[in-house]
Each structure stands twice: as C-alpha cells, then as structure tokens.
Amino acid sequence: MSPGLSGLLIVGALFALLATGMPIAFALGLAAFAALFLQSGPDIFYVLGDTMFSGIANLAYVSIPMFVLMGAAVASSPAGSDLYTALDRWLNRVPGGLVLSNIGACAIFSGMTGSSPATVAAIGKMGIPEMLNRGYPTSVATGSIAAGGTLGILIPPSVTLIVYGISTETSIGRLFMAGILPGIMLTAMFMTWAIIDCKRKGYEFSARAMRYTLKQKLAALPRVLPFMLIIAGTLYVLYGGIATPSEAAGAGAFLTLAVVIIAYRLFRFKPVSEIFGSAMRESVMIMMIMAAAELFAFALSSLFITQTVAAGIAGMDVNPWVLMLIINIFLLVCGMFLPPVAVIVMTAPMLFPIVTQAGFDPYWFAIILTINMEVGLITPPVGLNLFVINAIAPKIPTKDILWGALPYVLVMFLAIIILSIFPGIVTWLPNQMLGAVQ
Amino acid sequence: MVDAYVRAVGGLSRALAVFATLLIIAAMLVVCQMILMRYVFRMATIWQTDFVVFSATAAMFLGAPYVLLKGGHVGVDVVEMMVGDTTRRRLKIAGSLLGLVFCVIMLIASWIQFHDAWAGNWKHSSIWGPPLWIPLLALPVGFGVLCLQYVAQILVLLTKGTLPDSHVASFADGPAIDDVDLPISPTPGKERAP
C-alpha cells in the first residue's frame, strides 16, 4: 500500500472513531494501533507501552502538570475572584470596561497557567455573570471570555510552547520569551476590538455609573500582588537561565499553593482537594492525549506517511510565503479537530525542517503555530474553550457564544498577518535578552 | 449488583487518583529540594531528576481512570449533538466499547513491557539507576482500572441510559450559572473559608 493511501485510511479511521465521541486520546491510540498492527502484526505489542511511556517521561514535560497545578491553585480558590475584582476596579471607567477587565484578567491569568481551558473556567465563572448583570449581551460576554482564554497558550508559561520546544529541540525559555510581545499585542488587539464593538453598538452600561475611590482601588491590590510577584519570579528564573522550565514550574506551583493556602486559610481537606482534583483532571487529560499522539505520530512515520507528506510539501517548490499560507491552512484545519498539544506532537517534527529550510525563524513559527491553535480553541467542532463556557453557562445558546467569538478569530488572523510583516515583534525580545540564534 | 460494581470501581479509581496526587506533590517537593541543592548549596543531585520524571509520568497513567470517571477526557461531540436520543445512546455505548478495546490492548502491551522489565531486572541508564519495573507498573495498573471503569460506564449506559457527567464538567466545577436572567451578583470571597 502506498504511504498516501495508508495515510488517508489512518486519518479516515481516526475521524470515524472521533465521531463516536470517545476520548480523543484513546481514538488516536486505537487508530495508531490498527495501522501498526496491520503493518507489523502482533510484534507491535512490544513497542506500544514503551512509546506511550517514553513519549511523556521527559523532565521538561514535568513542567506541564506543575504549571497546571499553579493555575488550579488560583482558579479553584478565592484568589481568582480577587484578581478579577481588582482589575474591574481599575478598568471600569473605560467604555466596555468590564469586557476589557475580563480580557485583561484572562491575560494575567495566562501568566500563571499554561492552559486555555483553565483560564476560561477561572475568569468565565466570575466574568460572565457579572457582564450579564451589567447589561452586556450574551454574545459579547461569552465571546470575550472565549477569546481571552486563548491567550493562555500564547502568554508564557504555555503548555503548547513546551511541547513545541521538546518536539523540535528548541529552547523553551526562548520560546516563552518570544511569546511575550505577541501575547501583549494580541491582548491589546482583543481589547481594541471590544472597545470598537461596544462603541459601535452604542452600549452605555450601568457599569460606568459605578465609581470606585482610589482607596477601594488600592485596597484590591494586596491580594493580587503576591501572585504577580510569583509570576514575575517564575519568569525571571526561567529567562535568567537560572532554572529549567520544570524547576521554575515546580517552584512556582509550590509557592502559589503555599500563598493560596496561607492567605485564604484553606486548612481544611475539601478546598485543597478541589485544587488537586481539578489539576489532576486537566493534566491527565493533556498528557494522555500527548502520549497517544506520540503513538499516532510513531504510526505515521513507520508507514512513511510523515516523510511522504513532508517531501510533498517541500517538493512543491513555491514561494516561501505561499508555503507558509498552505501550512497555516493545514494547521487551522488540524486545530479545528484536535487539541493543540496533539497537533503539535504530530505535525511539528514534520513541519519544522520544511519551515526552517524555507528560511523562517523557528521561534517565529512557534508563535504563528500557537495562534493557529488558538483559533481552533474557539471554532467548532472541537473548540475546547466553547465547551468550557457551555459548561459554566449552560443556558446561553451555543450560537451566541460562536457569534461572539467569531470577530476575535478575525482579529487573530490579523495578528498572524501583522507578525508575518513584522517578525521582529516575535524575535526582538529574545534576541535582546539572549542574543541572536546561532 | 450493577450499582455495587459501579461504586466499587469508582472507589478504586478515586483511590488511585489520591495516590497519583501524592506522587505529583512528591515530585513538586523534590523539584524544590533539587533547586535548593543545586543553586543554594551547590551540590550535585543524583536521584532527583529520575524520581521527578518517573513519579510525574506514573501519576498521569494512574490518574487516568479517575479522569474517565469524571468525564474529563475530551472528545468530539459534534455528531452526538446532531442525532436523536436513541442514536446518541448507541454512539456513547459504541464509543465506550472502542475505548475499552484500546485499554485492553494497552493493558496487554504494558503488561508485557512491565513483565520484561521485572524479569530482566531492567535499570534506568543513569547514575542512580532505579529499577524500571516500578514506574512501568503504573501503565498496566492504570489501563487495568481504566478497563474496569469502562465496563462500569457501559453498564451504567445500558441500565440507566445516560452518564451523569459531561466531558467538560471537569473544567467547570462548582455551580453552573443556572439562569442568566436573574440578577445574580457573584460576591467575591463568599466561598472563603472561615
């Protein structure tokens, strides 16, 4: 069987399995097993366990459960609502101020966790009801949170950038640094759109009637500062080259947990077990998908599918920017069906040599890839952020969430175009701090 | 009978999750200890890296049954949303059976691997060189309990027709926003412990 045909069969099988609604991790694994079994017979049983185990048994991957734990400590405790309150007090005078403070809260929260669904859940649980109370339409309320949550994987620490770093053997610290300016830029672009949207529709909300005194504003700060310091500390040790990502993540998780438990006096079993329970659920979900995606990627390369596709793309002999456009469309389609980590594990090793040979900066490409994955988080059929919003606000029709999120998808496309014209936005900061890539 | 089985397996999954959580906490503390050793006391670390990697990895496989119990493994529910109730139930059963098939395959494969490591006394190639069967044991245990959990899920689907948890429930713990029209004002800090 030609690699092209077997590729179509394995991807077709994967889609058929996913259609039953079974866990993505197990669907990836089963499709991979079927392909490998047909090729190599029962011998394949000897490699399955090792492929899954060594796929995730890596020191750098330890940072994923640690960063998730750090996020859960804030999200599943009153710390999240304090963060939210503080931002609201500072930003409520701006038109559409509450939308802005929600997007801002998402961006700051993204600095504590590498995960988008955790960001959406943490900020959405407070932000959505509050926006609805103050008269914002459901589409504005849910769309801004869905979009703001996508910042979770762009602003460091970021689970997807960790996975990209390991898959392509690039520096995770440098990737994180490359994500900072684009993250700030995208946040500003989201906020700009929110202001335009609110002005255009002429919403004048009761929100602005509420005034906070400077004293109230300052009073909100002490509860937020420790977390900001931890973020700053984590990023400092990482960028200063003082510690590896997993060390920074482990220490960050420990400090955040300590602050949350002491500051909010969570000395009972239940609140603490909630933090660990939600961290466990999210990290296992991510890591199982990654372990299974490793199996799937192994199947693709054993059947020479990866190599054939890569050779096909490389042999197209087109202008690098046409190539980049094709890769972007390919990534967008993948991102619509599979979670970011799975897409990166399966495609990064294949795309990386093509992209670098075409003369693109590997760190720039990581950021472009991440923004593509962000789009996938808020578009059907597998928009994880949309699911999360649906779960925290089941009464809001999915249609409203989709329409609310759609303009932000266009904003992200615009961001990809801007970053393509000005790649310096990605590369400037890491080059300044760490020197140019050799 | 079915209820008792479902409860027992649920208990087993939870117990494994508690153990997995302890492994994660241990990994976190060892990471901190490693930082102190390396950067403050300028001492070499020997066993720490292996311990952290293996306990975090083992925790992921041991936590998997609990995540299935909680409906936390994300799936694609487009088709599910388009079809009627009966078809949805059949799809769910089919999906669970396929999941069970994968877990049985992995149980066999990871048992072979564990057995080889144990019988052959494999050691990890590092200075510390811990026996590999210990972390590898997490796979057959995790996949074994995943099989039991899947059987429980299928039994519930056959007898009751629905599952209590949706696959995103895990991200949205706590009360959902029930009625968006009500002027509910979330009072920050109301959940604060006394």
Side-chain angles (χ1 to χ4, degrees):
Chain A
M1 204 187 310
S2 78
L5 184 61
S6 46
L8 280 179
L9 280 179
I10 187 172
V11 172
L14 175 64
F15 271 72
L17 290 172
L18 286 175
T20 63
M22 71 187 287
I24 293 172
F26 300 155
L28 282 168
L30 197 55
F33 168 78
L36 289 167
F37 187 79
L38 289 178
Q39 194 208 20
S40 330
D43 282 351
I44 203 62
F45 275 95
Y46 288 95
V47 291
L48 291 179
D50 186 53
T51 309
M52 275 192 100
F53 184 81
S54 28
I56 58 171
N58 180 318
L59 183 61
Y61 278 154
V62 174
S63 56
I64 294 176
M66 295 299 147
F67 278 131
V68 168
L69 184 57
M70 193 167 157
V74 178
S76 306
S77 75
S81 69
D82 279 346
L83 183 72
Y84 179 80
T85 316
L87 275 161
D88 178 36
R89 288 190 187 172
W90 283 88
L91 287 172
N92 87 314
R93 296 288 297 158
V94 191
L98 195 58
V99 183
L100 298 195
S101 45
N102 277 300
I103 296 173
C106 286
I108 293 180
F109 194 83
S110 305
M112 280 184 256
T113 177
S115 135
S116 283
T119 309
V120 172
I123 306 300
K125 259 184 268 182
M126 277 131 346
I128 294 172
E130 191 63 25
M131 280 192 273
L132 298 176
N133 277 339
R134 298 202 204 164
Y136 289 86
T138 48
S139 62
V140 172
T142 52
S144 58
I145 295 280
T150 65
L151 295 167
I153 58 168
L154 179 60
I155 296 179
S158 151
V159 167
T160 55
L161 291 179
I162 296 171
V163 179
Y164 179 90
I166 295 172
S167 312
T168 63
E169 294 178 356
T170 41
S171 148
I172 295 172
R174 196 180 185 97
L175 285 168
F176 279 6
M177 203 173 275
I180 295 180
L181 286 183
I184 295 173
M185 181 188 90
L186 198 54
T187 312
M189 288 171 73
F190 284 168
M191 287 182 164
T192 312
W193 164 252
I195 295 177
I196 296 172
D197 191 34
C198 288
K199 278 221 162 169
R200 191 175 58 111
K201 292 181 179 153
Y203 295 131
E204 197 60 34
F205 303 105
S206 53
R208 294 176 79 186
M210 278 170 69
R211 281 164 185 272
Y212 295 104
T213 60
L214 187 63
K215 205 177 157 193
Q216 279 174 308
K217 286 183 185 173
L218 291 177
L221 285 184
R223 289 193 174 275
V224 185
L225 282 179
F227 300 108
M228 306 295 264
L229 286 178
I230 293 174
I231 299 178
T234 311
L235 296 183
Y236 171 75
V237 293
L238 209 66
Y239 299 143
I242 298 171
T244 63
S246 37
E247 289 170 340
F254 176 75
L255 289 176
T256 311
L257 270 173
V259 168
V260 165
I261 291 174
I262 294 166
Y264 295 98
R265 293 178 174 67
L266 303 181
F267 299 131
R268 289 170 310 154
F269 177 70
K270 195 165 178 291
V272 179
S273 72
E274 269 170 23
I275 292 175
F276 283 109
S278 73
M280 178 59 69
R281 285 189 294 259
E282 198 184 342
S283 27
V284 168
M285 186 269 285
I286 295 174
M287 300 303 277
M288 276 296 127
I289 290 176
M290 276 176 36
E294 201 72 47
L295 209 57
F296 196 79
F298 175 68
L300 288 184
S301 88
S302 312
L303 298 170
F304 289 99
I305 298 165
T306 318
Q307 296 85 333
T308 310
V309 174
I313 300 177
M316 277 191 297
D317 197 26
V318 288
N319 176 300
W321 289 104
V322 177
L323 180 72
M324 191 44 74
L325 182 71
I326 298 169
I327 291 176
N328 267 280
I329 295 169
F330 172 68
L331 288 173
L332 275 174
V333 174
C334 293
M336 281 179 175
F337 293 97
L338 291 167
V341 285
V343 177
I344 294 178
V345 171
M346 292 188 293
T347 67
M350 171 173 87
L351 294 176
F352 187 74
I354 302 172
V355 169
T356 43
Q357 254 166 34
F360 292 102
D361 182 281
Y363 296 89
W364 174 83
F365 179 63
I367 301 304
I368 298 294
L369 190 154
T370 303
I371 300 179
N372 274 304
M373 296 300 106
E374 289 186 67
V375 171
L377 288 173
I378 58 170
T379 44
V382 196
L384 203 46
N385 288 10
L386 304 173
F387 293 157
V388 177
I389 290 188
N390 210 315
I392 51 182
K395 289 272 172 74
I396 298 177
T398 316
K399 193 178 98 234
D400 285 11
I401 310 177
L402 283 177
W403 279 110
L406 190 63
Y408 293 96
V409 172
L410 301 178
V411 172
M412 289 187 218
F413 287 154
L414 185 62
I416 293 180
I417 295 172
I418 294 177
L419 292 178
S420 301
I421 301 172
F422 306 105
I425 300 172
V426 179
T427 52
W428 181 80
L429 189 62
N431 284 346
Q432 283 296 308
M433 308 286 286
L434 304 170
V437 193
Q438 316 70 1
Chain B
M1 190 59 197
V2 170
D3 276 357
Y5 172 78
V6 171
R7 262 201 309 276
V9 172
L12 190 57
S13 296
R14 281 195 186 83
L16 275 188
V18 170
F19 183 61
T21 304
L22 292 176
L23 282 176
I24 286 286
I25 296 175
M28 179 180 79
L29 295 176
V30 171
V31 166
C32 294
Q33 189 258 6
M34 185 159 80
I35 296 173
L36 284 181
M37 292 281 286
R38 234 182 238 171
Y39 302 108
V40 181
F41 301 116
R42 304 273 161 198
M43 274 154 48
T45 49
I46 298 160
W47 53 273
Q48 283 87 342
T49 306
D50 286 345
F51 178 84
V52 166
V53 172
F54 287 143
S55 49
T57 309
M60 294 302 117
F61 288 102
L62 294 176
Y66 172 73
V67 178
L68 180 65
L69 170 74
K70 288 288 175 180
H73 289 293
V74 177
V76 183
D77 62 356
V78 218
V79 182
E80 263 179 53
M81 286 190 301
M82 290 190 301
V83 296
D85 283 346
T86 328
T87 322
R88 184 177 313 133
R89 194 167 144 246
R90 284 187 194 141
L91 261 182
K92 277 210 149 100
I93 294 173
S96 302
L97 282 171
L98 288 165
L100 177 61
V101 169
F102 178 68
C103 292
V104 171
I105 292 168
M106 284 311 298
L107 173 61
I108 300 169
S110 57
W111 177 262
I112 295 174
Q113 190 195 14
F114 160 73
H115 185 265
D116 286 355
W118 187 66
N121 197 18
W122 294 359
K123 299 245 194 265
H124 185 56
S125 55
S126 63
I127 307 169
W128 185 36
L132 271 176
W133 66 264
I134 302 175
L136 288 178
L137 180 61
L139 276 84
V141 171
F143 282 109
V145 180
L146 266 172
C147 291
L148 298 177
Q149 191 63 54
Y150 256 125
V151 171
Q153 181 167 317
I154 294 165
L155 286 174
V156 171
L157 279 168
L158 287 175
T159 51
K160 300 207 174 67
T162 51
L163 287 172
D165 290 301
S166 87
H167 67 264
V168 283
S170 57
F171 291 113
D173 290 325
I177 304 161
D178 289 328
D179 194 342
V180 293
D181 297 318
L182 278 176
I184 32 162
S185 171
T187 44
K190 67 176 173 185
E191 301 158 10
R192 204 158 294 164

